PDB file of all heavy atoms in Angstrom:
ATOM      1  N   GLY D   1     224.120  37.999  31.997  1.00 98.00           N
ATOM      2  CA  GLY D   1     224.713  39.311  31.823  1.00 98.00           C
ATOM      3  C   GLY D   1     224.526  40.263  33.015  1.00 98.00           C
ATOM      4  O   GLY D   1     225.275  41.198  33.206  1.00 98.00           O
ATOM      5  N   THR D   2     223.534  39.966  33.872  1.00 98.00           N
ATOM      6  CA  THR D   2     223.275  40.817  35.004  1.00 98.00           C
ATOM      7  C   THR D   2     224.488  40.731  35.982  1.00 98.00           C
ATOM      8  O   THR D   2     224.683  41.635  36.830  1.00 98.00           O
ATOM      9  CB  THR D   2     222.008  40.508  35.758  1.00 98.00           C
ATOM     10  OG1 THR D   2     222.019  39.149  36.258  1.00 98.00           O
ATOM     11  CG2 THR D   2     220.827  40.701  34.805  1.00 98.00           C
ATOM     12  N   VAL D   3     225.307  39.689  35.936  1.00 98.00           N
ATOM     13  CA  VAL D   3     226.536  39.652  36.702  1.00 98.00           C
ATOM     14  C   VAL D   3     227.436  40.851  36.340  1.00 98.00           C
ATOM     15  O   VAL D   3     227.993  41.503  37.203  1.00 98.00           O
ATOM     16  CB  VAL D   3     227.248  38.311  36.552  1.00 98.00           C
ATOM     17  CG1 VAL D   3     228.638  38.300  37.268  1.00 98.00           C
ATOM     18  CG2 VAL D   3     226.454  37.172  37.056  1.00 98.00           C
ATOM     19  N   GLY D   4     227.657  40.984  35.004  1.00 98.00           N
ATOM     20  CA  GLY D   4     228.448  42.079  34.545  1.00 98.00           C
ATOM     21  C   GLY D   4     227.834  43.497  34.879  1.00 98.00           C
ATOM     22  O   GLY D   4     228.629  44.422  35.293  1.00 98.00           O
ATOM     23  N   ARG D   5     226.521  43.598  34.876  1.00 98.00           N
ATOM     24  CA  ARG D   5     225.869  44.816  35.212  1.00 98.00           C
ATOM     25  C   ARG D   5     226.104  45.201  36.628  1.00 98.00           C
ATOM     26  O   ARG D   5     226.492  46.355  36.981  1.00 98.00           O
ATOM     27  CB  ARG D   5     224.368  44.744  34.899  1.00 98.00           C
ATOM     28  CG  ARG D   5     223.584  45.998  35.198  1.00 98.00           C
ATOM     29  CD  ARG D   5     222.060  45.783  34.761  1.00 98.00           C
ATOM     30  NE  ARG D   5     221.301  46.962  34.881  1.00 98.00           N
ATOM     31  CZ  ARG D   5     220.639  47.264  36.062  1.00 98.00           C
ATOM     32  NH1 ARG D   5     220.742  46.423  37.115  1.00 98.00           N
ATOM     33  NH2 ARG D   5     219.951  48.341  36.175  1.00 98.00           N
ATOM     34  N   GLU D   6     226.010  44.219  37.545  1.00 98.00           N
ATOM     35  CA  GLU D   6     226.314  44.438  38.983  1.00 98.00           C
ATOM     36  C   GLU D   6     227.805  44.778  39.185  1.00 98.00           C
ATOM     37  O   GLU D   6     228.096  45.724  39.991  1.00 98.00           O
ATOM     38  CB  GLU D   6     225.878  43.271  39.832  1.00 98.00           C
ATOM     39  CG  GLU D   6     224.430  43.103  39.940  1.00 98.00           C
ATOM     40  CD  GLU D   6     224.102  41.829  40.827  1.00 98.00           C
ATOM     41  OE1 GLU D   6     225.046  41.299  41.498  1.00 98.00           O
ATOM     42  OE2 GLU D   6     222.901  41.387  40.825  1.00 98.00           O
ATOM     43  N   LEU D   7     228.590  44.093  38.446  1.00 98.00           N
ATOM     44  CA  LEU D   7     230.094  44.313  38.629  1.00 98.00           C
ATOM     45  C   LEU D   7     230.422  45.715  38.196  1.00 98.00           C
ATOM     46  O   LEU D   7     231.202  46.398  38.901  1.00 98.00           O
ATOM     47  CB  LEU D   7     230.847  43.309  37.763  1.00 98.00           C
ATOM     48  CG  LEU D   7     232.319  43.048  38.005  1.00 98.00           C
ATOM     49  CD1 LEU D   7     232.585  42.865  39.516  1.00 98.00           C
ATOM     50  CD2 LEU D   7     232.831  41.918  37.143  1.00 98.00           C
ATOM     51  N   GLU D   8     229.861  46.240  37.106  1.00 97.00           N
ATOM     52  CA  GLU D   8     230.110  47.644  36.743  1.00 97.00           C
ATOM     53  C   GLU D   8     229.546  48.611  37.676  1.00 97.00           C
ATOM     54  O   GLU D   8     230.281  49.653  38.023  1.00 97.00           O
ATOM     55  CB  GLU D   8     229.553  47.869  35.311  1.00 97.00           C
ATOM     56  CG  GLU D   8     229.992  49.169  34.776  1.00 97.00           C
ATOM     57  CD  GLU D   8     229.471  49.521  33.398  1.00 97.00           C
ATOM     58  OE1 GLU D   8     228.223  49.347  33.153  1.00 97.00           O
ATOM     59  OE2 GLU D   8     230.247  49.915  32.528  1.00 97.00           O
ATOM     60  N   GLN D   9     228.464  48.306  38.255  1.00 98.00           N
ATOM     61  CA  GLN D   9     227.815  49.227  39.220  1.00 98.00           C
ATOM     62  C   GLN D   9     228.698  49.321  40.449  1.00 98.00           C
ATOM     63  O   GLN D   9     228.946  50.403  40.996  1.00 98.00           O
ATOM     64  CB  GLN D   9     226.452  48.738  39.678  1.00 98.00           C
ATOM     65  CG  GLN D   9     225.360  48.912  38.601  1.00 98.00           C
ATOM     66  CD  GLN D   9     224.030  48.319  39.067  1.00 98.00           C
ATOM     67  OE1 GLN D   9     223.992  47.442  39.937  1.00 98.00           O
ATOM     68  NE2 GLN D   9     222.941  48.709  38.391  1.00 98.00           N
ATOM     69  N   ASP D  10     229.227  48.195  40.951  1.00 98.00           N
ATOM     70  CA  ASP D  10     230.006  48.172  42.205  1.00 98.00           C
ATOM     71  C   ASP D  10     231.429  48.490  42.026  1.00 98.00           C
ATOM     72  O   ASP D  10     232.098  48.902  42.996  1.00 98.00           O
ATOM     73  CB  ASP D  10     229.777  46.717  42.805  1.00 98.00           C
ATOM     74  CG  ASP D  10     228.415  46.463  43.246  1.00 98.00           C
ATOM     75  OD1 ASP D  10     227.598  47.399  43.366  1.00 98.00           O
ATOM     76  OD2 ASP D  10     228.088  45.310  43.429  1.00 98.00           O
ATOM     77  N   ALA D  11     231.990  48.315  40.832  1.00 98.00           N
ATOM     78  CA  ALA D  11     233.442  48.517  40.595  1.00 98.00           C
ATOM     79  C   ALA D  11     233.617  49.075  39.181  1.00 98.00           C
ATOM     80  O   ALA D  11     234.166  48.367  38.301  1.00 98.00           O
ATOM     81  CB  ALA D  11     234.239  47.215  40.765  1.00 98.00           C
ATOM     82  N   PRO D  12     233.161  50.345  38.946  1.00 98.00           N
ATOM     83  CA  PRO D  12     233.225  50.882  37.526  1.00 98.00           C
ATOM     84  C   PRO D  12     234.649  51.124  37.056  1.00 98.00           C
ATOM     85  O   PRO D  12     234.844  51.358  35.882  1.00 98.00           O
ATOM     86  CB  PRO D  12     232.484  52.208  37.724  1.00 98.00           C
ATOM     87  CG  PRO D  12     232.563  52.586  39.173  1.00 98.00           C
ATOM     88  CD  PRO D  12     232.548  51.265  39.878  1.00 98.00           C
ATOM     89  N   GLU D  13     235.643  51.030  38.002  1.00 98.00           N
ATOM     90  CA  GLU D  13     237.037  51.268  37.572  1.00 98.00           C
ATOM     91  C   GLU D  13     237.632  50.103  36.931  1.00 98.00           C
ATOM     92  O   GLU D  13     238.777  50.194  36.392  1.00 98.00           O
ATOM     93  CB  GLU D  13     237.814  51.699  38.797  1.00 98.00           C
ATOM     94  CG  GLU D  13     238.182  50.590  39.779  1.00 98.00           C
ATOM     95  CD  GLU D  13     237.083  50.115  40.668  1.00 98.00           C
ATOM     96  OE1 GLU D  13     235.925  50.661  40.593  1.00 98.00           O
ATOM     97  OE2 GLU D  13     237.240  49.203  41.501  1.00 98.00           O
ATOM     98  N   LEU D  14     236.997  48.912  36.922  1.00 98.00           N
ATOM     99  CA  LEU D  14     237.688  47.732  36.412  1.00 98.00           C
ATOM    100  C   LEU D  14     237.994  47.834  34.910  1.00 98.00           C
ATOM    101  O   LEU D  14     237.236  48.298  34.165  1.00 98.00           O
ATOM    102  CB  LEU D  14     236.871  46.468  36.656  1.00 98.00           C
ATOM    103  CG  LEU D  14     236.528  46.139  38.163  1.00 98.00           C
ATOM    104  CD1 LEU D  14     235.702  44.920  38.252  1.00 98.00           C
ATOM    105  CD2 LEU D  14     237.834  45.927  38.930  1.00 98.00           C
ATOM    106  N   THR D  15     239.206  47.363  34.579  1.00 98.00           N
ATOM    107  CA  THR D  15     239.598  47.410  33.168  1.00 98.00           C
ATOM    108  C   THR D  15     239.668  46.015  32.557  1.00 98.00           C
ATOM    109  O   THR D  15     239.621  45.864  31.307  1.00 98.00           O
ATOM    110  CB  THR D  15     240.969  48.022  33.057  1.00 98.00           C
ATOM    111  OG1 THR D  15     241.976  47.166  33.809  1.00 98.00           O
ATOM    112  CG2 THR D  15     241.084  49.471  33.614  1.00 98.00           C
ATOM    113  N   HIS D  16     239.792  44.960  33.328  1.00 98.00           N
ATOM    114  CA  HIS D  16     239.848  43.608  32.860  1.00 98.00           C
ATOM    115  C   HIS D  16     238.994  42.692  33.725  1.00 98.00           C
ATOM    116  O   HIS D  16     239.056  42.743  34.934  1.00 98.00           O
ATOM    117  CB  HIS D  16     241.287  43.063  32.863  1.00 98.00           C
ATOM    118  CG  HIS D  16     242.202  43.788  31.943  1.00 98.00           C
ATOM    119  ND1 HIS D  16     242.662  45.051  32.200  1.00 98.00           N
ATOM    120  CD2 HIS D  16     242.766  43.419  30.759  1.00 98.00           C
ATOM    121  CE1 HIS D  16     243.449  45.464  31.168  1.00 98.00           C
ATOM    122  NE2 HIS D  16     243.456  44.492  30.311  1.00 98.00           N
ATOM    123  N   ILE D  17     238.160  41.856  33.093  1.00 98.00           N
ATOM    124  CA  ILE D  17     237.233  40.986  33.799  1.00 98.00           C
ATOM    125  C   ILE D  17     237.564  39.530  33.411  1.00 98.00           C
ATOM    126  O   ILE D  17     237.534  39.112  32.244  1.00 98.00           O
ATOM    127  CB  ILE D  17     235.763  41.235  33.426  1.00 98.00           C
ATOM    128  CG1 ILE D  17     235.464  42.743  33.459  1.00 98.00           C
ATOM    129  CG2 ILE D  17     234.873  40.481  34.378  1.00 98.00           C
ATOM    130  CD1 ILE D  17     235.598  43.416  34.686  1.00 98.00           C
ATOM    131  N   LEU D  18     237.985  38.690  34.334  1.00 98.00           N
ATOM    132  CA  LEU D  18     238.263  37.272  34.073  1.00 98.00           C
ATOM    133  C   LEU D  18     237.054  36.442  34.418  1.00 98.00           C
ATOM    134  O   LEU D  18     236.459  36.534  35.486  1.00 98.00           O
ATOM    135  CB  LEU D  18     239.488  36.803  34.937  1.00 98.00           C
ATOM    136  CG  LEU D  18     240.761  37.569  34.781  1.00 98.00           C
ATOM    137  CD1 LEU D  18     241.838  36.959  35.693  1.00 98.00           C
ATOM    138  CD2 LEU D  18     241.259  37.612  33.380  1.00 98.00           C
ATOM    139  N   VAL D  19     236.680  35.549  33.399  1.00 98.00           N
ATOM    140  CA  VAL D  19     235.416  34.800  33.574  1.00 98.00           C
ATOM    141  C   VAL D  19     235.748  33.378  33.109  1.00 98.00           C
ATOM    142  O   VAL D  19     236.277  33.115  32.097  1.00 98.00           O
ATOM    143  CB  VAL D  19     234.364  35.358  32.653  1.00 98.00           C
ATOM    144  CG1 VAL D  19     233.072  34.616  32.888  1.00 98.00           C
ATOM    145  CG2 VAL D  19     234.114  36.899  32.790  1.00 98.00           C
ATOM    146  N   ALA D  20     235.347  32.402  33.961  1.00 98.00           N
ATOM    147  CA  ALA D  20     235.478  30.964  33.606  1.00 98.00           C
ATOM    148  C   ALA D  20     234.405  30.609  32.563  1.00 98.00           C
ATOM    149  O   ALA D  20     233.276  31.124  32.597  1.00 98.00           O
ATOM    150  CB  ALA D  20     235.254  30.088  34.836  1.00 98.00           C
ATOM    151  N   THR D  21     234.839  29.886  31.579  1.00 97.00           N
ATOM    152  CA  THR D  21     233.958  29.586  30.409  1.00 97.00           C
ATOM    153  C   THR D  21     233.750  28.124  30.210  1.00 97.00           C
ATOM    154  O   THR D  21     234.681  27.330  30.213  1.00 97.00           O
ATOM    155  CB  THR D  21     234.535  30.180  29.124  1.00 97.00           C
ATOM    156  OG1 THR D  21     234.691  31.603  29.271  1.00 97.00           O
ATOM    157  CG2 THR D  21     233.613  29.899  27.925  1.00 97.00           C
ATOM    158  N   GLY D  22     232.483  27.760  30.094  1.00 95.00           N
ATOM    159  CA  GLY D  22     232.052  26.374  29.666  1.00 95.00           C
ATOM    160  C   GLY D  22     231.408  26.458  28.341  1.00 95.00           C
ATOM    161  O   GLY D  22     231.981  26.561  27.336  1.00 95.00           O
ATOM    162  N   GLY D  23     230.055  26.471  28.424  1.00 94.00           N
ATOM    163  CA  GLY D  23     229.265  26.662  27.180  1.00 94.00           C
ATOM    164  C   GLY D  23     229.249  28.128  26.738  1.00 94.00           C
ATOM    165  O   GLY D  23     228.929  28.381  25.571  1.00 94.00           O
ATOM    166  N   GLY D  24     229.468  29.009  27.648  1.00 96.00           N
ATOM    167  CA  GLY D  24     229.640  30.454  27.297  1.00 96.00           C
ATOM    168  C   GLY D  24     228.494  31.362  27.616  1.00 96.00           C
ATOM    169  O   GLY D  24     228.506  32.521  27.309  1.00 96.00           O
ATOM    170  N   GLY D  25     227.546  30.846  28.426  1.00 96.00           N
ATOM    171  CA  GLY D  25     226.425  31.692  28.851  1.00 96.00           C
ATOM    172  C   GLY D  25     226.872  32.879  29.704  1.00 96.00           C
ATOM    173  O   GLY D  25     226.476  34.018  29.488  1.00 96.00           O
ATOM    174  N   LEU D  26     227.755  32.651  30.686  1.00 97.00           N
ATOM    175  CA  LEU D  26     228.198  33.722  31.608  1.00 97.00           C
ATOM    176  C   LEU D  26     229.009  34.722  30.848  1.00 97.00           C
ATOM    177  O   LEU D  26     228.770  35.938  30.887  1.00 97.00           O
ATOM    178  CB  LEU D  26     228.939  33.119  32.772  1.00 97.00           C
ATOM    179  CG  LEU D  26     229.463  34.106  33.805  1.00 97.00           C
ATOM    180  CD1 LEU D  26     228.371  34.968  34.363  1.00 97.00           C
ATOM    181  CD2 LEU D  26     230.274  33.388  34.848  1.00 97.00           C
ATOM    182  N   ILE D  27     230.049  34.225  30.157  1.00 98.00           N
ATOM    183  CA  ILE D  27     230.970  35.176  29.485  1.00 98.00           C
ATOM    184  C   ILE D  27     230.243  35.894  28.315  1.00 98.00           C
ATOM    185  O   ILE D  27     230.451  37.089  28.070  1.00 98.00           O
ATOM    186  CB  ILE D  27     232.254  34.527  28.995  1.00 98.00           C
ATOM    187  CG1 ILE D  27     233.317  35.614  28.713  1.00 98.00           C
ATOM    188  CG2 ILE D  27     231.996  33.676  27.821  1.00 98.00           C
ATOM    189  CD1 ILE D  27     234.696  35.070  28.527  1.00 98.00           C
ATOM    190  N   GLY D  28     229.279  35.167  27.691  1.00 97.00           N
ATOM    191  CA  GLY D  28     228.560  35.860  26.582  1.00 97.00           C
ATOM    192  C   GLY D  28     227.714  37.016  27.167  1.00 97.00           C
ATOM    193  O   GLY D  28     227.639  38.129  26.544  1.00 97.00           O
ATOM    194  N   GLY D  29     227.054  36.743  28.283  1.00 97.00           N
ATOM    195  CA  GLY D  29     226.214  37.775  28.947  1.00 97.00           C
ATOM    196  C   GLY D  29     227.034  38.983  29.383  1.00 97.00           C
ATOM    197  O   GLY D  29     226.661  40.104  29.201  1.00 97.00           O
TER     198      GLY D  29
END
């Protein structure tokens, strides 16, 4: 989930986030 935290810090204007999903750890976080 720290990927999302950094993404929001660096680009707070984003409205849609596209994430590749396998087992779901990245998109879940």
Side-chain angles (χ1 to χ4, degrees):
T2 61
V3 174
R5 184 174 182 270
E6 288 180 14
L7 195 50
E8 187 181 50
Q9 287 175 341
D10 295 342
E13 75 283 0
L14 296 179
T15 60
H16 294 74
I17 317 297
L18 301 183
V19 185
T21 301
L26 179 59
I27 196 166

